[in-house]
């Protein structure tokens, strides 16, 4: 049994993907070829936004968002402590300071109540200027954007949605990637919508942001790539990856149905034994991972291994416990819910082609 069965997905889509790749090999436009523009149009339509701008990977997508928003030294950007390192890394990379926030115990996502407390504490401290919030759609479930948006507006903060895991998720019919001022995703192979390498995208309804994104991703270009009007970066999606993603995006709604069937199957089998993930009313999860809570995680994972069932831990170390952020002065106990999650969560196989029950 595979944790994420990319081989099964490829076999299902082989003829279409191979044809797409051959088309790219035939026309030879490997960088920013026509498939890139086609994908951006399809992504924008699927998510429900005016603009989708592709880039080289999900971390670059977040970095581009920080650049567009003008995040800089002296700024505070609020983000969950229970997340992948890139969420906080991109804040520090711009010279700003990540201010970590505890998790919601029901959804594992950033806690709106703790978020407001951290914002108020930062304002009272007076050392940093609150500028933005990065909310992460953890394990496929969109964060609580109705509440987070209210808080962001109350304190005049920009809101960034990190939909790397949440792509395909929804709140009241509004799709992940369409929340906040700007949103990002990753096409890393293990993500709900993944390519065969690295890739990413940024989503926005803001025309000015879209033009800046297009400039920043190609060395800060102006009218062409040799007219550089600002300091940018080199972050373009390869045409072959765009071609692959076009076929995967077409199949994605069917895969989401299968992922949700698997999640329901897991719930029926495992809810009496573990704390299973719950999807709030009005929400849809894309089930990037199916994550359980167990008091004796190591023993549970060992038991699954004996049965030939792979498991993974997302995430075993919170951001405030990372060596790279030790100078921020956080200590054990500052984020009790997130710290408990880091010690007790583990994930089971989840993809659109599972045929065997646990």
């Amino acid at each position: 049994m595979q944790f994420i069965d990319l081989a099964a997905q490829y076999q299902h889509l082989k003829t279409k993907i191979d044809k797409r790749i051959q088309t790219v090999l035939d026309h030879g436009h490997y960088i920013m070829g026509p498939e890139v523009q086609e994908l951006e149009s399809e992504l924008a339509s699927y998510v429900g936004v005016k603009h989708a701008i592709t880039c080289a990977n999900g971390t670059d997508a977040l970095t581009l968002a920080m650049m567009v928003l003008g995040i800089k030294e002296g700024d505070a950007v609020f983000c969950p402590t229970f997340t992948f390192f890139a969420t906080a890394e991109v804040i520090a990379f711009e010279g700003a300071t990540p201010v970590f926030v505890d998790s919601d115990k029901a959804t594992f996502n950033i806690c709106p109540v703790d978020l407001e407390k951290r914002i108020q504490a930062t304002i009272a401290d007076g050392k940093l200027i609150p500028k933005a919030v990065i909310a992460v759609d953890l394990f496929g479930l969109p964060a609580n954007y109705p509440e987070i948006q209210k808080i962001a507006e109350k304190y005049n903060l920009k809101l960034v949605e990190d939909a790397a895991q949440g792509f395909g998720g929804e709140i009241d019919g509004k799709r992940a990637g369409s929340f906040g001022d700007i949103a990002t995703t990753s096409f890393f192979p293990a993500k709900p919508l993944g390519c065969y390498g690295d890739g990413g995208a940024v989503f926005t309804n803001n025309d000015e942001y879209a033009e800046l994104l297009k400039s920043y991703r190609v060395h800060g270009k102006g009218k062409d790539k040799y007219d550089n009007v600002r300091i940018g970066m080199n972050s373009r999606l390869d045409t072959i990856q765009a071609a692959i993603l076009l076929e995967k995006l077409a199949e994605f709604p069917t895969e989401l149905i299968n992922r949700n069937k698997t999640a329901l199957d897991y719930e029926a089998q495992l809810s009496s034994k573990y704390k299973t993930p719950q999807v709030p009313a009005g929400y849809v999860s894309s089930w990037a991972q199916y994550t359980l809570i167990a008091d004796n995680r190591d023993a549970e994972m060992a038991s699954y291994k004996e049965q030939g069932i792979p498991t993974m831990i997302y995430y075993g170390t919170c951001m405030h416990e990372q060596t790279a952020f030790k100078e921020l002065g956080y200590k054990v106990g500052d984020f009790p819910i997130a710290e408990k999650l880091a010690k007790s969560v583990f994930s089971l196989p989840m993809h659109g082609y599972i045929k065997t029950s646990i």
Side-chain angles (χ1 to χ4, degrees):
M1 190 178 202
Q2 300 295 314
F3 189 78
I4 299 173
D5 199 340
L6 296 174
Q9 183 192 50
Y10 173 63
Q11 287 304 312
H12 181 69
L13 298 172
K14 185 179 189 306
T15 300
K16 294 178 179 179
I17 288 176
D18 289 356
K19 183 179 179 181
R20 280 281 190 177
I21 291 173
Q22 187 61 54
T23 298
V24 177
L25 295 175
D26 289 341
H27 67 55
H29 297 292
Y30 300 116
I31 304 295
M32 301 295 285
E35 286 79 3
V36 174
Q37 288 74 43
E38 183 183 355
L39 176 65
E40 289 177 341
S41 177
E42 292 295 326
L43 287 169
S45 177
Y46 178 83
V47 170
V49 294
K50 289 176 67 176
H51 306 284
I53 294 90
T54 56
C55 59
N57 56 69
T59 303
D60 279 3
L62 283 169
T63 297
L64 286 164
M66 295 294 97
M67 295 169 74
V68 165
L69 296 177
I71 302 302
K72 62 185 183 304
E73 185 176 357
D75 291 342
V77 179
F78 302 85
C79 72
T81 187
F82 187 60
T83 185
F84 181 61
F85 189 71
T87 309
E89 179 183 34
V90 299
I91 300 167
F93 193 72
E94 298 305 311
T97 301
V99 178
F100 299 122
V101 181
D102 208 353
S103 303
D104 181 286
K105 63 181 180 180
T107 66
F108 308 161
N109 279 326
I110 190 170
C111 174
V113 174
D114 194 55
L115 171 62
E116 185 160 22
K117 289 179 180 177
R118 304 283 174 175
I119 293 170
Q120 292 172 343
T122 301
I123 292 171
D125 186 54
K127 295 178 182 177
L128 298 170
I129 301 171
K131 281 293 183 69
V133 178
I134 300 178
V136 179
D137 300 341
L138 202 63
F139 304 150
L141 184 69
N144 188 352
Y145 291 106
E147 291 302 316
I148 296 169
Q149 186 70 58
K150 291 177 186 176
I151 295 168
E153 291 174 357
K154 179 178 179 180
Y155 295 96
N156 195 29
L157 304 177
K158 296 297 185 181
L159 176 56
V160 178
E161 177 191 5
D162 180 350
Q165 294 180 31
F167 190 86
E170 299 178 12
I171 303 177
D172 295 330
K174 185 177 171 64
R175 281 187 169 144
S178 66
F179 296 102
D181 297 280
I182 197 165
T184 69
T185 198
S186 167
F187 300 127
F188 183 77
K191 294 296 189 289
L193 179 64
C195 57
Y196 292 157
D198 267 323
V202 187
F203 305 96
T204 185
N205 285 313
N206 187 304
D207 295 340
E208 181 182 352
Y209 289 174
E211 289 307 308
L212 282 171
L213 287 163
K214 292 174 184 178
S215 172
Y216 277 130
R217 71 171 171 178
V218 188
H219 303 289
K221 76 179 183 69
K223 64 180 182 293
D224 58 53
K225 67 179 181 179
Y226 298 115
D227 173 38
N228 306 100
V229 298
R230 54 183 60 86
I231 302 299
M233 61 195 299
N234 180 19
S235 186
R236 300 165 298 190
L237 181 68
D238 292 342
T239 309
I240 285 178
Q241 300 300 345
I244 293 164
L245 284 165
L246 280 164
E247 292 305 327
K248 288 197 173 190
L249 181 59
E251 187 70 13
F252 189 60
T254 300
E255 292 185 358
L256 280 181
I257 292 171
N258 293 337
R259 284 172 176 267
N260 275 274
K261 286 180 178 177
T262 298
L264 289 172
D265 190 26
Y266 279 158
E267 170 70 16
Q269 296 180 61
L270 302 173
S271 59
S272 62
K273 185 176 182 181
Y274 305 106
K275 184 184 184 303
T276 53
Q278 300 299 306
V279 178
Y283 285 64
V284 173
S285 177
S286 59
W287 298 107
Q289 281 87 36
Y290 189 88
T291 302
L292 302 166
I293 294 178
D295 292 332
N296 193 347
R297 177 172 66 190
D298 291 346
E300 295 295 334
M301 293 178 70
S303 175
Y304 280 113
K305 185 177 181 180
E306 289 176 0
Q307 301 172 60
I309 299 170
T311 57
M312 296 283 286
I313 296 173
Y314 301 91
Y315 299 95
T317 305
C318 293
M319 291 302 99
H320 70 281
E321 298 172 309
Q322 297 284 354
T323 302
F325 293 123
K326 64 180 180 181
E327 74 278 0
L328 296 180
Y330 293 107
K331 61 184 184 301
V332 174
D334 284 346
F335 304 88
I337 296 172
E339 290 170 19
K340 182 178 180 180
L341 290 173
K343 291 179 172 61
S344 59
V345 295
F346 72 100
S347 300
L348 295 175
M350 173 56 77
H351 53 83
Y353 299 86
I354 291 178
K355 300 186 186 307
T356 305
S357 299
I358 295 297

